[in-house]
Amino acid sequence: MANSSLANAQIESARIVAANRRTDLLMASIGILVLGIATLLLTSVFVGLLASGWDRLINPDFYTHFPSRHPQQAGIISAIVGSSLVMLVTAVIAIPLGVAAGLYLEEYAPKNWLTDLIEINVSNLAGVPSIIYGLLALGLFVYAFSLGETILTAGLTLALLILPVIIVATREAVRSIPLELREAAYGLGADKWQVVRMYVLPAARPGIFTGVIVGLARAIGEAAPLITIGALTFIAFLPPLPVQATPPFVNFDWLTSPFTVMPIQLFNWVSRPQAEFHVNAAATGVVLMVMTLAMNALAIYVRLRLRRLHR
Amino acid sequence: MIKFAAIVMALAAMVSGASHARDLVKIDGSSTVFPITEAVAEEFQTAERGKTMVTVGISGTGGGFKKFCRGDTDISDASRPIKDSEQQLCAENGIEYIELPAALDALTVVVNPNNDWVDHLSVAELKKIWQPAAQGRITQWSQVRSSFPNRPLTLFGPGTDSGTYDYFVEAIVNGKSSRGDFTASEDDNVLVQGVANDVNALGFFGLAYYEENRDKLKAVPISWKGGKPVTPSVENAKDASYQPLSRPIFIYVNKQSADTKPHVARFVEFYMNKKHAAPLVKEVGYVPLPEKAYDLAAKKFKNRVTGTVFHGAEVGVGIEELMARTPQG
């Protein structure tokens, strides 16, 4: 009797284990399927662009020439340089500000209605259409501060646009650090700033970097707010270099230079009637995707390096 | 490391050598006019051997005028004449402007190539289709003309804040707006695809988009005021027989810039020189003005004749007639 009930229990548990395995298998296959669809879509877009833009992509002139009315001679040098410099300004402004704001809200701010209000607003700002930021920037940076239609204005605009994303990501990352880690540090006599700087921030880095990547990837693809503030479409000269031969060797004139960026150049070529310009647009799309991937790769590399250093 | 520093120094020397104060011509405005101004700017920079730089933006005709009337730009591209409200804004800021026609565009009404029932449309029939009262009511081809088949009518047109839309509505409906239930896109290539894939479709956009897609579209000849139907083409737009959908497109020059910046004046003279303008305009898919009109425009600029010849909305006026008018305001 006792034997048979034991056998029953064993059969029962074996049944549950088998059922759980089936569920696991099912969930895993659904996951792989979804991932496959997403990857396939991205790959097909990329391959499609690559196929239609190939002739221009393999031509070195495409990367060294300025825009032109002749589709065969038109290039994207002004857009590549413009996008890179604007992203540089955006990153330099948005990352420290966003991380600091996220840390403050999560670690230092008292939990009261004001903090809640700020929290809700920051989360909402992450969903505001980018053109609104463009209008804000036009009124504030271009007109009120008289910064003009410059690389600095564009960088500031895109920094505003991605600040909420970085703040939210930083807060999520900081919140996920186990309480025990902080308590252990406090127990050793560390003060709040030491805990944040030496334990919380390093541990939250992967999450923060993910937020930064998502933010910057959004910023590099934006055309609408930059058209609003007055980015150009035809510009056949480059901003001055940030370094110079004479002291003080660095030069910030490039910040006040007019510019264009990749998505605007792409948008202009896509809407032209001549099919040859559409080839240029496809090639520009490929370069833009490669730039985004390169940026992500850099961020992942930095993240891995930091992690290794931290150990 | 030393090598790297040397390279940086060399690069810096190169650039700082090239980047001392350059003369700049700032242009913004309509994306319809952009290809022409881009072509002229490119040629002009070559002709000036890099001494003068030209920048061209695409804020749209309205956005361009906002900047122009604040004095931010030297020249504004416009696919329609300056509006009364914009004239006021310019006047408030003391901006005087010279209005110059750059080219002609023929708005082209197109249908699917498999559409075998439309041979032409009259302006009255187009009005019946596009007027605001047609919304939700004129939905079948047979309602447009009784000999047309009983097929659904699908409509495509440019976005409502484009100069192209403004002009079409003005010319066809004689009003400020059309029906709202049509597929609108800021990108004319989307409209081309829409009409090319739907046998029941009717759409309109600039001539260049038809010319580049002749195999996918059929252009509809238009009859006006009981006249013979006229096919949209470069010739018919140039001799003003294709009406009322031929329209001039413009550049507006800030008079003060023209007077105080010699490079701006040189650029405009270059633009209005028929030897440059006519071939460049043709090359980018627009209709050049008659040669005489470029001469008249160059003269108008030389004499710095300010103001606009347009007061209120008007359509279907030939370019030579416009040039003969004395501007006011």
Side-chain angles (χ1 to χ4, degrees):
Chain A
M1 193 63 192
N3 263 351
S4 86
S5 83
L6 188 66
N8 276 346
Q10 273 175 344
I11 290 167
E12 179 63 10
S13 66
R15 202 184 58 77
I16 292 170
V17 168
N20 284 351
R21 281 222 183 98
R22 271 201 302 279
T23 321
D24 282 351
L25 198 66
L26 188 70
M27 289 317 288
S29 355
I30 292 178
I32 289 172
L33 187 72
V34 170
L35 184 69
I37 292 173
T39 320
L40 193 74
L41 281 176
L42 185 67
T43 318
S44 58
V45 167
F46 192 73
V47 170
L49 285 179
L50 205 59
S52 34
W54 186 251
D55 284 349
R56 299 296 293 146
L57 281 170
I58 52 169
N59 188 341
D61 287 351
F62 184 62
Y63 306 97
T64 55
H65 278 197
F66 289 110
S68 162
R69 71 177 185 284
H70 303 292
Q72 302 299 328
Q73 293 168 21
I76 53 171
I77 180 73
S78 42
I80 291 183
V81 172
S83 266
S84 311
L85 291 178
V86 169
M87 291 316 291
L88 182 69
V89 176
T90 303
V92 165
I93 293 167
I95 297 173
L97 263 184
V99 172
L103 266 182
Y104 172 78
L105 280 174
E106 201 55 40
E107 292 286 326
Y108 290 92
K111 303 280 173 250
N112 58 20
W113 63 270
L114 188 65
T115 319
D116 287 347
L117 193 72
I118 292 174
E119 265 188 62
I120 294 169
N121 275 308
V122 168
S123 310
N124 275 341
L125 279 179
V128 167
S130 55
I131 188 88
I132 308 286
Y133 287 94
L135 291 172
L136 170 75
L138 182 69
L140 192 68
F141 300 139
V142 181
Y143 292 163
F145 297 170
S146 298
L147 294 178
E149 296 97 1
T150 58
I151 290 177
L152 179 64
T153 308
L156 286 169
T157 309
L158 294 181
L160 276 189
L161 177 76
I162 67 171
L163 256 182
V165 180
I166 296 179
I167 294 175
V168 170
T170 304
R171 301 194 50 192
E172 294 296 331
V174 168
R175 200 177 302 160
S176 67
I177 307 301
L179 201 60
E180 289 81 355
L181 188 80
R182 296 164 215 253
E183 281 171 352
Y186 283 129
L188 290 172
D191 63 22
K192 189 151 193 170
W193 173 237
Q194 283 173 324
V195 173
V196 168
R197 184 168 56 91
M198 293 157 86
Y199 295 96
V200 175
L201 250 192
R205 245 178 217 150
I208 295 175
F209 266 95
T210 309
V212 168
I213 294 170
V214 171
L216 290 180
R218 180 174 175 197
I220 199 174
E222 282 293 345
L226 298 186
I227 290 182
T228 315
I229 63 163
L232 297 157
T233 306
F234 176 79
I235 172 165
F237 57 92
L238 294 179
L241 269 195
V243 280
Q244 60 188 25
T246 48
F249 300 111
V250 284
N251 173 342
F252 287 103
D253 283 353
W254 58 275
L255 282 171
T256 58
S257 177
F259 68 100
T260 189
V261 291
M262 304 281 287
I264 294 179
Q265 186 63 67
L266 199 161
F267 169 71
N268 179 254
W269 277 337
V270 157
S271 58
R272 296 289 274 266
Q274 292 84 3
E276 294 90 343
F277 279 115
H278 302 167
V279 174
N280 286 0
T284 311
V286 172
V287 177
L288 185 58
M289 278 175 101
V290 169
M291 276 172 92
T292 312
L293 290 176
M295 221 162 58
N296 289 0
L298 183 73
I300 291 168
Y301 171 75
V302 171
R303 187 167 82 192
L304 286 178
R305 242 185 99 87
L306 285 176
R307 201 179 277 167
R308 222 168 283 149
L309 278 180
H310 186 58
R311 276 180 199 153
Chain B
M1 197 58 211
I2 293 166
K3 211 170 170 188
F4 175 74
I7 291 171
V8 169
M9 296 280 235
L11 267 175
M14 240 167 66
V15 169
S16 60
S19 72
H20 58 77
R22 279 177 293 205
D23 294 332
L24 195 62
V25 183
K26 284 177 81 177
I27 308 174
D28 205 333
S30 165
S31 57
T32 307
V33 191
F34 174 82
I36 304 172
T37 303
E38 180 194 44
V40 175
E42 192 183 350
E43 284 303 307
F44 179 70
Q45 287 186 169
T46 315
E48 295 262 305
R49 296 170 194 283
K51 217 168 60 192
T52 307
M53 289 295 153
V54 186
T55 61
V56 193
I58 45 166
S59 302
T61 302
F65 273 129
K66 277 205 192 81
K67 291 185 182 148
F68 181 75
C69 293
R70 288 172 46 94
D72 289 347
T73 51
D74 300 314
I75 297 172
S76 210
D77 287 341
S79 66
R80 54 157 175 78
I82 188 166
K83 284 183 183 166
D84 291 345
S85 55
E86 291 157 350
Q87 291 175 32
Q88 256 170 26
L89 188 65
C90 273
E92 277 165 25
N93 294 320
I95 304 287
E96 286 187 289
Y97 51 85
I98 306 161
E99 177 185 69
L100 299 170
L104 295 169
D105 189 17
L107 295 195
T108 306
V109 177
V110 294
V111 292
N112 190 280
N114 294 327
N115 176 325
D116 53 7
W117 58 89
V118 173
D119 53 344
H120 78 281
L121 286 168
S122 69
V123 170
E125 283 166 331
L126 282 174
K127 181 174 180 177
K128 207 182 207 176
I129 296 173
W130 285 98
Q131 64 189 347
Q135 179 149 349
R137 305 237 310 271
I138 307 293
T139 54
Q140 301 283 320
W141 277 96
S142 56
Q143 290 168 295
V144 180
R145 196 187 292 171
S146 50
S147 58
F148 287 164
N150 207 0
R151 278 167 169 275
L153 173 65
T154 39
L155 296 171
F156 292 86
T160 51
D161 41 87
S162 67
T164 312
Y165 173 86
D166 283 346
Y167 189 87
F168 183 85
V169 172
E170 201 70 66
I172 299 297
V173 188
N174 307 320
K176 293 266 171 260
S177 63
S178 71
R179 67 193 292 172
D181 53 346
F182 66 96
T183 307
S185 173
E186 296 300 333
D187 180 357
D188 291 339
N189 289 310
V190 173
L191 304 176
V192 169
Q193 288 308 319
V195 177
N197 294 328
D198 182 353
V199 66
N200 298 318
L202 179 123
F204 67 92
F205 35 71
L207 182 66
Y209 291 85
Y210 165 68
E211 294 278 358
E212 291 291 327
N213 297 285
R214 275 170 173 276
D215 48 334
K216 293 183 225 159
L217 302 167
K218 188 167 110 180
V220 181
I222 306 293
S223 68
W224 189 39
K225 290 182 175 166
K228 272 203 326 221
V230 180
T231 317
S233 69
V234 173
E235 291 71 33
N236 293 345
K238 208 166 170 177
D239 66 14
S241 61
Y242 180 69
Q243 292 290 12
L245 292 177
S246 295
R247 57 163 178 172
I249 52 184
F250 305 91
I251 60 170
Y252 285 77
V253 184
N254 183 322
K255 179 169 176 286
Q256 202 193 342
S257 296
D259 287 340
T260 55
K261 300 177 187 168
H263 50 277
V264 172
R266 281 204 305 276
F267 177 76
V268 178
E269 279 154 17
F270 191 92
Y271 206 136
M272 289 300 138
N273 185 331
K274 63 192 171 203
K275 272 188 289 191
H276 307 132
L280 288 175
V281 165
K282 211 164 176 175
E283 208 181 312
V284 295
Y286 287 87
V287 184
L289 303 174
E291 293 201 345
K292 217 175 99 195
Y294 284 115
D295 290 341
L296 287 170
K299 210 171 117 200
K300 185 177 177 185
F301 178 68
K302 196 166 165 237
N303 297 333
R304 302 284 194 269
V305 183
T306 58
T308 176
V309 299
F310 293 89
H311 283 278
E314 43 183 331
V315 293
V317 190
I319 187 69
E320 313 227 346
E321 191 193 327
L322 285 177
M323 294 305 300
R325 287 189 192 168
T326 321
Q328 305 145 10

